[in-house]
Amino acid sequence: MQNQSRFGGNNRRRNNAPHKRRFNKQYKSKSPSVHYSRYINKAVALADETPYVPTNTFDDFDISQRTKDTLRHLGYSSPTPIQDQSIPPALEGRDVIGLANTGTGKTAAFLLPTINKLATDKKLMSALVLAPTRELAQQIDQEFKKFSGGQNLYSTLVVGGANIGRQISQIKRGPHIVIGTPGRIKDLIERKVLRLQTVEVFILDEADRMCDMGFVRDIRSIESELSKDRQTFCFSATMTKDVKSIVHEFMNDPVSVSVVRNQTNDHIDQDVFHARDKEHKIEYITELLKQDEFEKVIIFGETKFGVQRLADRLSKSDLPAVAIHGNKSQSQRERALKSFKNSHVNIMVATDVAARGLDIPNVSHVINFDPPKMYDDYIHRIGRTGRAGKAGKALTLVSR
Ligand code: ADP
Ligand code: MG
């Protein structure tokens, strides 16, 4: 961690944004619900906030020495605010709703107490993590393996688009924790392969997304398989009132820990560009992407088709780009993400499938080629940059 204070929000904004800014009241973003002015966040000078001083060190937590050694090895010198405040009640056995900005370590906040429980009892099939996308589930699985290394704990990743036969045989081998996406988990419950009655810790990452209209039926049906006598963790950077009441249905007297500072992600430089039309947008970003500063860029588009077309178009203009969207096979999606993560390709064009949770190091810019539908989607999209104390920039292209 280069600049620990950024986790606490002590961020000085940089003022050297390259994009032009034009203000004109008659321009509105295409999306009916979000005015473009909410995509600009640099005019306000950010007063210096006091850096967050954690009340705990990792050594203070009642977790195994092995885990503490692992954290030291990973360079985690002190807990982030959400870790500092949600790990103690979680270790006491409480249900926790954890809200904290994107990129501030929510994964460890829910995995460390879970690993502690698993390591103590070593019972099979005692934790279940649900995430909204396959790539995020896979990332959580990788994090789990990292944090639990050397403790003889086994996880199984259960996501759609991957060979179900192999997942079935892995489940039969008896993992301690299952991590997956709702559809495939439900499928395996219906096939009577997954039996979840022994689950003691149930986790919803990106909980507001998991409990919105798209997923909530699956979540309800999965939750109904679980013992009421379990612990539940729900984490996200955003939560509307309506969704929160659904989240509460799955929980038992939860502790709410909210360490969201500046909901608008003030440490990320945000700006808009008013384009005449789509062609103008493409011309504009083609020029930007040629600049050295645009080192590693995620471009969000609205439709699968549009995303693919934009990636192809950029690639043809000597700006190699990968695309990630739901029309690709899972292996294509994985390959695209991997080559972007490894910086073999430095432009990734994506639908909102990549908006939530993905932790890709050193993304310099997020560009919204199409504005997001809701402001919360915006928060998650731009949250792919400016992670773990780093700086980041976001640019939203709006049509006149
Ligand atoms: P979130 O879920 O809040 O968006 P993540 O859990 O993906 O954030 O973490 C963001 C990044 O911060 C990851 O790369 C992670 O390794 C790193 N990180 C998390 N906790 C710490 C810590 N205590 N010290 C240093 N780095 C951390
Ligand atoms: Mg996360």
Side-chain angles (χ1 to χ4, degrees):
M1 183 69 41
Q2 299 238 306
N3 179 356
Q4 189 73 31
S5 70
R6 280 195 180 273
F7 266 127
N10 182 24
N11 310 312
R12 249 173 228 282
R13 196 111 23 71
R14 298 186 303 173
N15 287 316
N16 55 345
H19 356 290
K20 297 177 219 162
R21 226 184 318 149
R22 294 190 212 158
F23 295 95
N24 188 329
K25 284 210 174 85
Q26 75 195 20
Y27 299 151
K28 287 231 169 103
S29 94
K30 223 164 125 190
S31 156
S33 53
V34 188
H35 188 263
Y36 74 82
S37 58
R38 298 186 73 192
Y39 305 139
I40 301 169
N41 192 20
K42 60 185 15 251
V44 194
L46 189 69
D48 274 1
E49 289 176 40
T50 33
Y52 184 81
V53 182
T55 39
N56 301 287
T57 64
F58 282 120
D59 280 330
D60 294 337
F61 293 141
D62 193 12
I63 55 178
S64 72
Q65 190 54 46
R66 183 74 202 220
T67 306
K68 290 175 184 171
D69 293 343
T70 302
L71 292 171
R72 197 164 306 121
H73 191 72
L74 291 172
Y76 285 29
S77 51
S78 66
T80 65
I82 188 68
Q83 293 162 3
D84 187 38
Q85 295 184 35
S86 69
I87 290 176
L91 288 171
E92 278 168 26
R94 298 288 304 269
D95 283 6
V96 177
I97 298 180
L99 295 176
N101 291 77
T102 51
T104 61
K106 292 185 287 295
T107 320
F110 62 72
L111 282 183
L112 297 179
T114 305
I115 288 168
N116 206 54
K117 190 150 189 169
L118 298 181
T120 315
D121 301 343
K122 289 267 162 64
K123 285 192 212 147
L124 299 182
M125 203 62 91
S126 47
L128 173 68
V129 185
L130 297 181
T133 64
R134 300 160 183 179
E135 287 77 12
L136 180 55
Q138 190 163 32
Q139 178 181 300
I140 296 168
D141 184 45
Q142 286 158 359
E143 294 281 283
F144 175 83
K145 289 180 162 73
K146 239 165 55 181
F147 295 135
S148 67
Q151 307 198 50
N152 293 321
L153 292 173
Y154 298 99
S155 63
T156 292
L157 180 68
V158 174
V159 296
N163 185 304
I164 199 165
R166 193 155 63 214
Q167 290 174 1
I168 291 172
S169 54
Q170 280 172 353
I171 291 166
K172 288 192 171 149
R173 248 179 274 151
H176 299 95
I177 179 170
V178 171
I179 300 167
T181 45
R184 183 58 66 90
I185 299 266
K186 213 175 141 233
D187 187 355
L188 287 166
I189 291 170
E190 279 158 10
R191 292 177 191 229
K192 309 229 179 297
V193 175
L194 255 185
R195 291 189 181 80
L196 298 174
Q197 291 75 12
T198 51
V199 165
E200 294 176 9
V201 190
F202 176 46
I203 299 159
L204 294 176
D205 192 15
E206 305 294 342
D208 56 333
R209 176 80 185 94
M210 303 304 287
C211 295
D212 76 11
M213 274 173 9
F215 280 113
V216 73
R217 275 189 57 187
D218 284 353
I219 304 296
R220 283 212 171 94
S221 110
I222 294 167
E223 193 267 347
S224 70
E225 300 286 313
L226 308 179
S227 153
K228 293 287 161 230
D229 189 23
R230 60 154 202 270
Q231 211 177 352
T232 306
F233 302 145
C234 289
F235 280 74
S236 188
T238 51
M239 187 81 69
T240 62
K241 247 200 190 144
D242 292 352
V243 169
K244 197 163 192 173
S245 68
I246 299 175
V247 168
H248 270 268
E249 284 176 31
F250 303 129
M251 308 193 81
N252 176 20
D253 187 24
V255 180
S256 279
V257 178
S258 174
V259 292
V260 177
R261 286 214 196 182
N262 53 61
Q263 180 77 74
T264 51
N265 272 329
D266 276 353
H267 67 293
I268 301 171
D269 256 330
Q270 298 158 59
D271 210 346
V272 298
F273 177 74
H274 296 279
R276 283 187 302 278
D277 52 26
K278 197 163 161 188
E279 203 47 42
H280 189 198
K281 286 184 178 182
I282 295 176
E283 279 165 28
Y284 184 61
I285 64 166
T286 304
E287 284 313 305
L288 290 182
L289 292 167
K290 285 179 186 157
Q291 298 174 15
D292 291 343
E293 193 200 352
F294 286 72
E295 277 170 42
K296 196 164 182 172
V297 185
I298 303 181
I299 303 173
F300 284 101
E302 193 173 324
T303 66
K304 302 166 195 174
F305 189 67
V307 159
Q308 186 62 53
R309 265 227 306 231
L310 182 58
D312 293 343
R313 173 90 182 257
L314 293 172
S315 299
K316 273 191 201 127
S317 315
D318 245 1
L319 291 164
V322 290
I324 182 162
H325 54 72
N327 273 355
K328 291 203 149 193
S329 71
Q330 192 49 29
S331 62
Q332 287 173 320
R333 273 164 65 162
E334 271 168 37
R335 223 175 309 135
L337 184 60
K338 201 168 163 194
S339 59
F340 183 66
K341 263 193 165 167
N342 299 340
S343 298
H344 291 146
V345 175
N346 290 315
I347 302 168
M348 182 167 87
V349 192
T351 56
D352 276 319
V353 74
R356 291 242 180 193
L358 297 187
D359 185 54
I360 302 164
N362 304 319
V363 172
S364 62
H365 293 76
V366 168
I367 296 176
N368 293 307
F369 189 83
D370 302 309
K373 288 222 171 63
M374 320 260 273
Y375 193 70
D376 279 1
D377 297 335
Y378 175 75
I379 292 172
H380 291 280
R381 283 180 176 191
I382 68 167
R384 297 317 99 214
T385 182
R387 299 180 69 74
K390 298 238 167 70
K393 290 185 175 181
L395 172 67
T396 302
L397 309 181
V398 293
S399 300
R400 288 182 194 173

